[in-house]
Amino acid sequence: MPSPRSLQYQRTRTVTSFDTIAPLADECIMAMSYAIEVSGEANPLSLPILYRTLTAAASSDPQQIKSGAQQLQNWEKQSGYYSSLQSIFVDVSLPVEVRHLCIIQLKNGIDKYWRKTAPNAIKKEEKDLIRSRSVESGTNEPDHRLALQNALMLAKVIRYEYPLEWPDAVSSIVSNLRQASQPDGNPLRLTRALLILLEVIKELSTARIQRTRTSLQAASLEVLQVLGKIYLDKVQTWMTFFHQGGSDEGGAINSVEQSLLALRVLRRLLIAGWDSPNRSNEFKELWNLLSIHLKDMLSMALQESSSLHENVRRLVGKHLRQIAKLHVNLAKAHPSGFALLPSSVELVSTYWDLVHQFGETYGSRSFTAPGPGIAQSGDDIDQSIPIPEYLSLRGLLLLRACVKMVFNPAQTFRYQQAQDKEEKAQSRQIIKESILTESFAQAAMQTLVSRFFVFTQRDLGDWEDQPEEWERREEGEDDTWEFSIRPCAEKLFIELVLNYKEQLVQPLLSVFQNVANLQNKNILQKDSVYGAIGLAASVLEEKLDFDLFLRNTLARESQTDQPGCGILKRRIAIVLGQWLPVKDKLDRPLVYQIFQHLLDKNIPSNDLVVRITAGKQLKNVIIPFDFRFEQFEPFATTILHRLVALIEEVELNETKLALLNTLLVLIQSVEGKIAPFADQIISVLAPLWEQAGTEFLLKQSILGILSSLISAVRDESRKYHALLIPLIDNSVDVNSETRIYMLEDALDLWINILQQTPSTAVSGVIPLVPHLLPMLEVGSDTLRKALEITETYVYLAPAQMLASASVVLAPLTTLLKGSKREVTGLVLSIVELLMQSALHLGGSEALTSFISQLVELNFLQTILVGLRGAHEAHQTTGPNRAKTWLDVLVETDYYSILARIALASPNLFIDAVKVAAPALPNEPFETTISWILSEWFRHLDNISHPEKKKLSCLAVTTLLQTGQPWITVRLQELMTVWTEVVVELYDNDERKDDCLVYGDVESMKGANETAEQEGQRKLMFADPVHRFDLKPFIREHLQQAIIACGGNEAFQEKWVVNVDKDVLSEFSKLGIF
């Protein structure tokens, strides 16, 4: 026995024999008496230690599993780890549990580390070793479960490697398959080779890279030749045995399984391997063969007197399912190719015959007491559906694909040759003239409505046994319609009616008129015809007097209480939900009365299905644009009460969500008139929130309803703060587990609460402010909403926000440095509002304190650096001129910050610039103020917002108070700005005052003013932009400058003389100077 040390992994070594690592089992059995105690990083990678670790990880001891899993995770990034896993896997003498863990670890590692660009990617030598053993070990693997995992792993490798790094990957598998299919070949090797090829074709057919798909198509013919021969040989073998008899029953059954596996591969290969299958002779040959097999196998599977064993019959049925899937998938993927293949028209006719025959026995002809139902979905449905039903279902899907092929062909971005266009036109013509004739459309409609729209006894049993689950499944909100006859028939019916309006409307109306009368007591027939009328609502809108039907028939039938009338009541709710969005001028009060009745739990025939359907369809009745609350008001109290009670009654979360959605639409439609019902709604939502637990979709829906409700009840929302504030607090808390799911909806609710909070209830929302800070980060998905909430808080509680200004300003400063324009604009708006609030509440002293904080946090420095860059860029011209990162709108906001400081106090402005100037090294104040003003006057021409422009005009005018030469020397620029802004604000000759100056602060107070609106109004009226008339303001400051200069004559000689005559002339016309 070799020493364990001799088995230690060497990177350059290739394990070629399974016996090489067989001694590991004995070695490691002795090692299992102790747990892995050495830390993961300290354990070297060797085969004995790896095997021991895998054994521990595959054990039932939680501690061993935890320590083993941790060690395996530590080894993931080590060179040689994955090839070592494979070395253990390929030794069939080792325990299956250990080998299974090996292949799972290896398969997962392919996803993480096989790409060349992946961190700690697997090296080329190790990749070569893994590839070299994958095919051979897979074809010899005795355990099916391990063989499947190996095939999945190999398929992933080939997807990454084929065709560049591993050009002969597919051909090597085909070669292996060819050898295994020889008469003297090992059946196990053939089965495993087919399994590998199946997973490889699956993987390559889903590749998005065109190079991979092209390479697969290039190899498809070779694969088809080998695979087709295997399929044909195996089918002939087992068909001959079961028809003529023989002694090798085991071999025949094995052949059935192998032909099925080959057919599964063929189904995917035929779809992915050809763009134009009709041009390939080999494809057409196999296509014809499969059409023959469809008929032969169908007779074998359905022949009641057949002596076939049930297991064999089941395998034959699986063949039929694969062939039927191929037909439907090919018609969807390659519609032109499908239509031009030989016998395609006959094939569709065969399927329609199956559909028609199956329709003779489908559904109930009259209502009887329901029997037990069978609830299934998804893949369970696909495998449990009887063969006749399954083939009929595929026939309906195939017909729907043909309709889309003719009337709604799929668009492609691939360049089309003349032949492609010709084939496309030819295929549409063939399908339309040979299959989708007018007579066929009428016959198909007749069959669909009369046969497949009718409930089966199984449907009625499921209705009785599992009402909520049945209703959810019937709603068809997911793709399960492809697995059920009636929903699939409804989809096909819609396609036919939309595309054959002229041919189908009159026959449909004729059937409807014969059925839709009170004397007809056949409930199932009425349900199917009413269902067709509802589905065709958009087509029949102008052809059917639905209002008459509503008054004379539906209203009366909704009140009936005969056996089985629940079926009709459910249909009435659905039909009304389908017609009201497309038909106007209906008797809406009558419709609301019907829904009020259908939601009444005290009526025996209004079972849970009826009421759930009515609750869901109520949404479609309320949504239309012509909804008027006056019509709905007489029924509002009762309907809302019953809807809320229904939400409490149902158990499935999907049903609760749908009904909550109806409630949301109802709240949004009636708006403020929902207030009388708010308490009742809240009383239901509160316990529902607690019951939801970790059902976060349900909680999100509840938050959405609360948000709309708060907006509707406005200032009355304050009485719900005690309930809602904790919900928001828990949903936005950075340490909350629910934050990742609830944050966005909680922020919407938070915003609405703030916007509707009256001034008397502001204190209740202040405790939420600390939750804003973690969200004020660059790159946060909720950043914009967080900034909007912060801005609202400045209006609501300016004193409290100023008290914690430094805490808020710190993240805002970070955002100012590296955010997009929209975010930067919000940040600057918040800071500007804080400055206004500081000045309004505490005067210049409070503003000075606030400016100091801006300087301490480098906020002002960031602004000056940005403006300096813009100024320098604007000094360059020509094609190679410098570009500034500062957006025009952001620059306007930058100067608005400086304008607020200057307007409050010119001396404070000078001090702030001096303190912030060190961000611009070695620059004296005179230089700094010079380029600030130069860029400011230049930028004033680009400010389009009247208030922003007036603000800057007031600010630069205020600087005249300083009497400094650096501002008076710019008298010409000042006069230009004054002239331009005054002309804009005094926009006609009759106007005597500034259009931005408002009256009394109380005069614009709203009747139901919220705290936010009050804060906005007070700040607006305190704003110098809206308090100072510009003309007197300019006159006053200009007079101060004249006095400071020594009088008018001195001012004229020193400053006015330098002003351009045209500029001076235009300014003089204003009557200011």
Side-chain angles (χ1 to χ4, degrees):
M1 178 176 178
S3 168
R5 293 185 179 275
S6 67
L7 298 175
Q8 186 167 346
Y9 173 77
Q10 300 294 331
R11 286 178 52 194
T12 59
R13 179 181 177 192
T14 302
V15 179
T16 58
S17 171
F18 297 160
D19 295 334
T20 309
I21 57 172
L24 278 173
D26 297 333
E27 172 82 17
C28 293
I29 287 173
M30 296 183 292
M32 288 303 295
S33 58
Y34 62 93
I36 302 173
E37 299 177 353
V38 183
S39 64
E41 292 75 4
N43 278 331
L45 178 62
S46 66
L47 283 178
I49 296 178
L50 176 59
Y51 180 83
R52 184 200 322 150
T53 305
L54 288 165
T55 304
S59 69
S60 58
D61 182 0
Q63 183 59 37
Q64 290 282 319
I65 294 173
K66 180 178 179 180
S67 59
Q70 181 60 51
Q71 176 62 83
L72 293 176
Q73 185 177 357
N74 293 334
W75 277 331
E76 280 185 358
K77 300 177 182 179
Q78 282 198 32
S79 177
Y81 170 63
Y82 290 104
S83 55
S84 298
L85 286 173
Q86 191 186 42
S87 296
I88 295 177
F89 167 74
V90 298
D91 190 343
V92 296
S93 65
L94 298 178
V96 172
E97 292 75 13
V98 175
R99 297 177 61 228
H100 185 258
L101 182 57
C102 279
I103 195 63
I104 293 295
Q105 290 286 319
L106 177 55
K107 184 184 69 172
N108 294 341
I110 300 299
D111 284 330
K112 296 169 66 175
Y113 302 110
W114 195 272
R115 288 186 180 92
K116 292 180 181 179
T117 56
N120 305 292
I122 300 173
K123 295 182 179 179
K124 185 178 183 305
E125 297 81 7
E126 190 172 3
K127 287 182 179 180
D128 293 341
L129 178 58
I130 293 172
R131 285 188 336 207
S132 67
R133 298 186 291 191
S134 297
V135 177
E136 185 64 26
S137 61
T139 53
N140 289 286
E141 176 56 53
D143 187 283
H144 175 74
R145 184 180 58 163
L146 300 186
L148 175 60
Q149 295 301 323
N150 182 78
L152 291 170
M153 179 275 296
L154 180 57
K156 291 178 182 294
V157 170
I158 291 179
R159 179 162 184 169
Y160 290 129
E161 300 279 284
Y162 183 74
L164 295 182
E165 302 296 330
W166 195 0
D168 62 339
V170 175
S171 60
S172 64
I173 296 174
V174 172
S175 176
N176 210 306
L177 184 64
R178 186 182 288 111
Q179 294 176 8
S181 65
Q182 297 302 315
D184 58 346
N186 186 342
L188 177 64
R189 287 180 59 86
L190 176 59
T191 302
R192 297 296 183 251
L194 286 170
L195 180 61
I196 290 173
L197 185 59
L198 172 63
E199 299 304 330
V200 169
I201 298 298
K202 272 186 185 180
E203 195 72 35
L204 293 181
S205 63
T206 59
R208 296 181 180 179
I209 301 175
Q210 185 59 37
R211 180 180 63 244
T212 303
R213 298 177 65 86
T214 302
S215 300
L216 173 61
Q217 291 176 353
S220 294
L221 183 57
E222 179 189 5
V223 179
L224 178 61
Q225 290 170 343
V226 176
L227 194 60
K229 185 177 184 305
I230 294 173
Y231 168 75
L232 179 59
D233 290 344
K234 297 303 176 182
V235 169
Q236 288 177 341
T237 299
W238 62 260
M239 274 194 171
T240 301
F241 177 85
F242 293 125
H243 283 308
Q244 301 178 8
S247 58
D248 189 8
E249 182 178 357
I253 294 177
N254 195 45
S255 294
V256 178
E257 295 174 345
Q258 290 174 339
S259 65
L260 176 60
L261 195 51
L263 184 56
R264 291 175 63 193
V265 183
L266 282 170
R267 177 170 68 84
R268 290 168 173 83
L269 178 68
L270 294 177
I271 299 298
W274 282 266
D275 286 332
S276 301
N278 55 294
R279 301 176 192 173
S280 170
N281 292 329
E282 291 80 4
F283 192 107
K284 290 189 285 189
E285 183 180 350
L286 182 61
W287 179 261
N288 289 330
L289 181 66
L290 290 175
S291 299
I292 296 172
H293 285 176
L294 175 67
K295 297 177 182 179
D296 294 343
M297 293 181 188
L298 185 60
S299 63
M300 293 179 65
L302 299 183
Q303 189 176 1
E304 295 182 2
S305 60
S306 173
S307 59
L308 289 180
H309 188 273
E310 183 60 32
N311 184 47
V312 175
R313 194 189 297 271
R314 180 179 57 83
L315 290 173
V316 173
K318 287 187 175 183
H319 281 72
L320 289 169
R321 294 174 195 271
Q322 291 298 319
I323 295 174
K325 281 183 180 181
L326 170 62
H327 291 153
V328 175
N329 293 345
L330 190 69
K332 291 180 178 179
H334 306 296
S336 298
F338 172 83
L340 296 175
L341 282 168
S343 305
S344 286
V345 172
E346 292 79 1
L347 182 68
V348 176
S349 299
T350 299
Y351 274 104
W352 177 246
D353 290 340
L354 290 171
V355 171
H356 195 272
Q357 292 171 16
F358 181 70
E360 296 295 330
T361 59
Y362 183 84
S364 301
R365 295 295 171 262
S366 61
F367 177 80
T368 58
I374 303 173
Q376 292 166 326
S377 60
D379 293 336
D380 293 335
I381 291 180
D382 194 37
Q383 294 301 320
S384 65
I385 296 176
I387 287 299
E389 183 175 350
Y390 184 86
L391 294 180
S392 298
L393 179 59
R394 291 292 151 180
L396 293 174
L397 291 172
L398 186 59
L399 284 167
R400 187 166 185 260
C402 289
V403 175
K404 285 186 170 293
M405 190 186 308
V406 174
F407 297 102
N408 188 25
Q411 302 299 317
T412 178
F413 293 102
R414 186 171 62 89
Y415 176 74
Q416 291 186 319
Q417 303 285 347
Q419 184 181 3
D420 296 325
K421 297 178 181 178
E422 182 180 349
E423 288 181 350
K424 187 175 183 179
Q426 184 182 357
S427 64
R428 294 178 64 184
Q429 183 179 2
I430 290 174
I431 296 298
K432 190 169 186 180
E433 294 180 356
S434 302
I435 300 176
L436 301 178
T437 61
E438 293 182 5
S439 59
F440 172 80
Q442 293 179 359
M445 184 199 72
Q446 176 80 21
T447 300
L448 293 175
V449 175
S450 63
R451 302 298 185 190
F452 296 113
F453 281 17
V454 182
F455 286 123
T456 65
Q457 284 299 315
R458 184 174 65 183
D459 293 322
L460 299 176
D462 287 346
W463 178 324
E464 188 74 20
D465 297 339
Q466 302 177 353
E468 282 192 58
E469 179 61 35
W470 182 89
E471 194 282 332
R472 183 197 65 79
R473 195 167 66 247
E474 284 296 310
E475 191 72 17
E477 295 177 352
D478 49 27
D479 292 334
T480 56
W481 66 268
E482 292 190 352
F483 302 97
S484 183
I485 284 283
R486 189 172 58 261
C488 188
E490 291 176 352
K491 297 284 186 182
L492 177 58
F493 171 80
I494 293 173
E495 296 287 346
L496 290 173
V497 170
L498 289 176
N499 294 295
Y500 289 92
K501 297 183 182 71
E502 297 180 0
Q503 295 79 18
L504 299 185
V505 166
Q506 196 54 49
L508 181 59
L509 287 177
S510 298
V511 174
F512 168 73
Q513 290 165 359
N514 292 331
V515 171
N517 59 75
L518 298 177
Q519 290 72 36
N520 183 3
K521 303 301 182 181
N522 190 331
I523 291 176
L524 293 178
Q525 183 189 41
K526 278 189 174 183
D527 178 75
S528 63
V529 174
Y530 288 4
I533 294 300
L535 293 172
S538 60
V539 176
L540 300 176
E541 176 189 358
E542 302 297 332
K543 306 292 184 180
L544 174 64
D545 188 347
F546 189 80
D547 192 57
L548 182 65
F549 175 50
L550 170 64
R551 294 172 183 273
N552 294 345
T553 306
L554 293 184
R556 296 182 182 182
E557 290 180 334
S558 66
Q559 307 292 323
T560 60
D561 204 25
Q562 68 184 85
C565 67
I567 296 174
L568 199 55
K569 288 186 173 185
R570 170 185 173 272
R571 181 60 60 187
I572 290 172
I574 295 174
V575 170
L576 291 175
Q578 291 167 327
W579 269 84
L580 260 73
V582 301
K583 185 72 173 179
D584 56 0
K585 298 180 181 178
L586 292 177
D587 189 347
R588 290 187 176 275
L590 180 58
V591 173
Y592 302 142
Q593 183 181 352
I594 291 174
F595 273 88
Q596 177 180 261
H597 177 80
L598 295 179
L599 287 169
D600 189 354
K601 184 179 181 180
N602 296 320
I603 298 176
S605 57
N606 290 350
D607 60 17
L608 192 57
V609 171
V610 172
R611 287 182 285 119
I612 290 174
T613 304
K616 288 183 177 182
Q617 293 299 326
L618 181 63
K619 175 187 67 176
N620 298 325
V621 170
I622 294 172
I623 280 180
F625 65 92
D626 55 346
F627 171 82
R628 297 202 305 272
F629 181 73
E630 307 82 59
Q631 296 177 329
F632 182 72
E633 188 173 12
F635 314 97
T637 302
T638 305
I639 287 180
L640 191 61
H641 172 75
R642 290 173 180 173
L643 179 62
V644 169
L646 182 60
I647 293 173
E648 291 183 285
E649 180 182 355
V650 297
E651 297 178 356
L652 286 181
N653 286 326
E654 294 88 340
T655 308
K656 289 182 184 291
L657 280 170
L659 295 175
L660 286 172
N661 191 27
T662 298
L663 181 60
L664 175 62
V665 170
L666 184 60
I667 292 171
Q668 293 172 341
S669 298
V670 304
E671 296 179 338
K673 298 180 179 63
I674 198 69
F677 314 103
D679 289 348
Q680 182 183 1
I681 295 173
I682 292 290
S683 67
V684 172
L685 296 181
L688 188 58
W689 175 277
E690 296 299 328
Q691 296 168 15
T694 58
E695 294 293 337
F696 298 115
L697 283 176
L698 193 58
K699 286 189 171 182
Q700 289 171 0
S701 180
I702 294 172
L703 289 178
I705 292 175
L706 290 172
S707 184
S708 295
L709 187 63
I710 294 302
S711 297
V713 302
R714 296 182 64 79
D715 58 337
E716 290 296 319
S717 63
R718 65 182 181 276
K719 63 182 179 181
Y720 306 122
H721 282 192
L723 171 67
L724 301 182
I725 299 300
L727 294 186
I728 298 174
D729 182 80
N730 179 259
S731 300
V732 303
D733 188 349
V734 70
N735 297 317
S736 172
E737 296 180 357
T738 65
R739 186 176 191 268
I740 187 174
Y741 308 102
M742 313 302 301
L743 181 58
E744 188 170 351
D745 295 283
L747 289 179
D748 289 335
L749 176 60
W750 191 354
I751 291 173
N752 281 342
I753 285 179
L754 294 180
Q755 291 174 342
Q756 306 303 330
T757 296
S759 56
T760 56
V762 170
S763 59
V765 297
I766 297 299
L768 293 175
V769 173
H771 292 306
L772 284 172
L773 301 180
M775 290 184 275
L776 298 178
E777 299 176 357
V778 178
S780 170
D781 294 335
T782 56
L783 175 58
R784 186 177 183 86
K785 287 184 179 179
L787 289 171
E788 291 174 357
I789 293 173
T790 304
E791 185 178 58
T792 302
Y793 267 110
V794 177
Y795 287 123
L796 282 175
Q800 291 90 333
M801 295 299 287
L802 286 169
S804 57
S806 59
V807 179
V808 176
L809 287 174
L812 294 183
T813 304
T814 304
L815 291 173
L816 184 66
K817 296 177 182 178
S819 299
K820 296 180 179 179
R821 177 177 63 81
E822 294 81 2
V823 172
T824 303
L826 281 171
V827 169
L828 292 167
S829 175
I830 292 170
V831 173
E832 187 178 348
L833 286 174
L834 286 169
M835 293 172 65
Q836 290 179 259
S837 299
L839 186 62
H840 177 63
L841 296 175
S844 58
E845 183 178 347
L847 180 61
T848 301
S849 173
F850 184 79
I851 299 303
S852 299
Q853 295 180 69
L854 291 181
V855 173
E856 290 175 6
L857 294 167
N858 288 326
F859 192 93
L860 277 185
Q861 289 88 325
T862 302
I863 289 179
L864 290 184
V865 170
L867 292 176
R868 176 62 179 273
H871 171 70
E872 291 177 348
H874 293 142
Q875 304 310 302
T876 61
T877 58
N880 297 322
R881 65 184 180 277
K883 295 182 180 180
T884 175
W885 57 267
L886 198 61
D887 182 87
V888 173
L889 295 177
V890 175
E891 186 171 355
T892 298
D893 292 334
Y894 273 14
Y895 273 116
S896 295
I897 298 294
L898 297 182
R900 291 291 176 188
I901 303 174
L903 195 53
S905 169
N907 290 330
L908 179 59
F909 171 78
I910 294 172
D911 292 340
V913 171
K914 287 181 177 178
V915 174
L920 310 168
N922 303 320
E923 184 175 273
F925 171 75
E926 288 73 14
T927 303
T928 303
I929 197 64
S930 176
W931 65 255
I932 288 176
L933 292 174
S934 295
E935 180 63 18
W936 202 340
F937 282 111
R938 186 208 65 80
H939 183 68
L940 268 161
D941 287 336
N942 297 326
I943 301 178
S944 58
H945 195 286
E947 294 183 355
K948 296 280 188 181
K949 195 163 191 174
K950 181 181 177 182
L951 175 62
S952 284
C953 181
L954 292 172
V956 293
T957 303
T958 304
L959 293 178
L960 285 172
Q961 293 180 13
T962 64
Q964 295 296 322
W966 45 260
I967 184 63
T968 51
V969 76
R970 298 181 180 274
L971 186 60
Q972 177 171 312
E973 293 171 284
L974 283 167
M975 287 185 173
T976 302
V977 170
W978 290 336
T979 302
E980 181 182 347
V981 178
V982 168
V983 168
E984 289 180 6
L985 299 182
Y986 298 75
D987 52 3
N988 55 60
D989 295 337
E990 290 76 21
R991 192 172 191 93
K992 303 298 183 182
D993 55 359
D994 189 331
C995 68
L996 289 178
V997 174
Y998 299 156
D1000 180 35
V1001 65
E1002 297 297 326
S1003 63
M1004 295 183 68
K1005 183 177 181 179
N1008 297 310
E1009 189 177 60
T1010 65
E1012 181 190 21
Q1013 293 168 336
E1014 180 184 359
Q1016 290 173 341
R1017 178 171 55 84
K1018 289 183 177 180
L1019 273 186
M1020 180 177 65
F1021 278 92
D1023 190 346
V1025 172
H1026 300 297
R1027 284 195 303 113
F1028 296 147
D1029 193 313
L1030 186 57
K1031 277 187 178 181
F1033 189 87
I1034 295 172
R1035 185 181 295 114
E1036 177 185 346
H1037 285 80
L1038 186 57
Q1039 191 61 38
Q1040 291 177 3
I1042 292 173
I1043 295 172
C1045 189
N1048 188 55
E1049 185 175 349
F1051 189 74
Q1052 289 278 354
E1053 293 178 354
K1054 188 172 183 179
W1055 303 115
V1056 179
V1057 70
N1058 297 318
V1059 177
D1060 182 86
K1061 292 181 179 180
D1062 292 335
V1063 173
L1064 184 60
S1065 174
E1066 291 298 318
F1067 177 67
S1068 299
K1069 293 177 182 179
L1070 302 178
I1072 296 175
F1073 176 67

